[in-house]
């Protein structure tokens, strides 16, 4: 059943939510969704849809392709939703890491194809930064943010920084940085009683100073994108506050490369603003799972397939 718009927030997933076949059923069932994928293929000059649907998996998992594929699927879901419920306007939108680019489309702040261009550039620059400044990321379960901030400070050294990258939900945090500092932080977390501390299968240190080589060119890409003031309140990853002007959005996107994703605080800000239902638009249900760890009373709905839309209508 459709929730009340004024009590609803739209959420858009980021890297890690991708899966082979993402969006295929939606494109087969809805011409609107199919057009979104076709536009992306035409714009990028290769069949992103074929890669997303048929693989290979390592091609989809390459950040250059992962980021645009996630955005395209999310926008396809968004446009199908808007076609079915044209008068529905959520109170807030937010996206996790690169999902913030999808949220920009939903907020009316950036047109779809321009967002696709920006997210493709973001993926390219982050991959290059990973080659120039190799590092990694690790998931830490069971330690709070203050404890991890202290551990990361202890593990860091001159030219070897590790820091909190994603505050996903209470008890689930991702740290990011130089490989040697990351290993030291993992060992310190294990000694401090973390339930789990494991390095992730990624070759880049997202949301850390190791992205600095990408910063100047990404700043230019953000500045040249036709970002407008949002028509729907957009919660920024870096500030965890509503961004109401184009300049604020530009600053948040630029700082996001090296700053913490304050996802727990972002959800809490929307909850404080009267949101009781969150609709995750795109691949998987990672954000819905995090939501239940942040607030068990909140309602999480995931939209990514025709079956999901059928459930929503009943």
């Amino acid at each position: 059943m459709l929730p009340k718009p004024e009590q609803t927030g739209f959420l858009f997933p980021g890297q890690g939510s991708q899966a082979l076949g993402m969006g295929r059923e939606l494109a087969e069932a809805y011409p609107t969704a199919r057009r979104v994928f076709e536009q992306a293929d035409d714009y990028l000059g290769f069949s992103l849809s074929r890669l997303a649907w048929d693989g290979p998996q390592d091609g989809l998992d390459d950040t250059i392709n992962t980021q645009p594929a996630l955005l395209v699927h999310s926008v396809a879901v968004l446009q199908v939703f808007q076609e079915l419920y044209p008068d529905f306007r959520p109170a807030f939108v937010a996206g996790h890491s690169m999902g913030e680019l999808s949220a920009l489309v939903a907020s009316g702040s950036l047109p779809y194809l321009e967002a696709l261009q920006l997210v493709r550039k973001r993926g390219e620059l982050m991959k290059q930064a990973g080659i120039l400044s190799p590092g990694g990321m690790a998931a830490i379960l069971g330690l709070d943010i203050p404890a991890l901030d202290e551990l990361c400070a202890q593990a860091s050294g001159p030219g070897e920084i590790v820091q909190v990258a994603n505050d996903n939900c209470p008890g689930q945090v991702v740290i990011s940085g130089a490989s040697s500092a990351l290993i030291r932080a993992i060992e310190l977390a294990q000694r401090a009683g973390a339930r789990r501390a494991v390095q992730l299968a990624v070759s880049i240190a997202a949301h850390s100073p190791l992205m600095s080589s990408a910063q100047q060119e990404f700043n230019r890409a953000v500045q040249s994108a036709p970002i407008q003031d949002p028509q729907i309140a957009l919660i920024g990853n870096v500030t965890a506050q509503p961004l109401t002007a184009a300049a604020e959005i530009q600053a948040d996107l630029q700082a996001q490369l090296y700053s913490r994703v304050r996802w727990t605080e972002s959800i809490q800000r929307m909850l404080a603003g009267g949101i009781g239902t969150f609709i995750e638009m795109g691949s998987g249900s990672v954000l819905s799972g995090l939501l239940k760890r942040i607030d068990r009373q909140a309602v999480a709905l995931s939209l990514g397939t025709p079956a999901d839309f059928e459930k929503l209508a009943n």
Side-chain angles (χ1 to χ4, degrees), residues 30-46:
Y30 296 99
T32 297
R34 185 170 64 249
R35 281 194 298 274
V36 171
F37 278 92
E38 289 172 347
Q39 285 177 303
D41 293 348
D42 291 342
Y43 191 80
L44 294 172
F46 74 98

Side-chain angles (χ1 to χ4, degrees), residues 163-180:
Q163 66 184 40
V164 172
N166 300 338
D167 173 12
N168 287 331
C169 67
Q172 186 186 123
V173 178
V174 174
I175 61 175
S176 177
S179 297
S180 52

Side-chain angles (χ1 to χ4, degrees), residues 22 42 46-47 54 86 119 126 155 180 184 212 215 254 282 296:
M22 53 189 276
D42 291 342
F46 74 98
S47 185
D54 300 324
V119 82
M126 289 178 73
S180 52
R184 289 195 294 269
S212 61
Q215 192 66 58
Q254 290 168 344
R296 292 187 179 278

Side-chain angles (χ1 to χ4, degrees), residues 118 121-122 124-130 132-133 163 205-223 238 249-259:
L118 186 57
K121 175 59 72 174
R122 185 181 187 272
E124 290 173 353
L125 292 173
M126 289 178 73
K127 183 174 183 177
Q128 290 171 14
L132 289 171
S133 304
Q163 66 184 40
H207 306 293
S208 86
L210 272 70
M211 291 289 103
S212 61
S213 62
Q215 192 66 58
Q216 192 171 10
E217 191 170 347
F218 186 64
N219 286 352
R220 286 197 295 268
V222 170
Q223 289 292 338
V238 176
I249 292 171
Q250 290 172 330
D252 199 86
L253 288 176
Q254 290 168 344
Q256 198 198 71
L257 280 192
Y258 58 84
S259 299

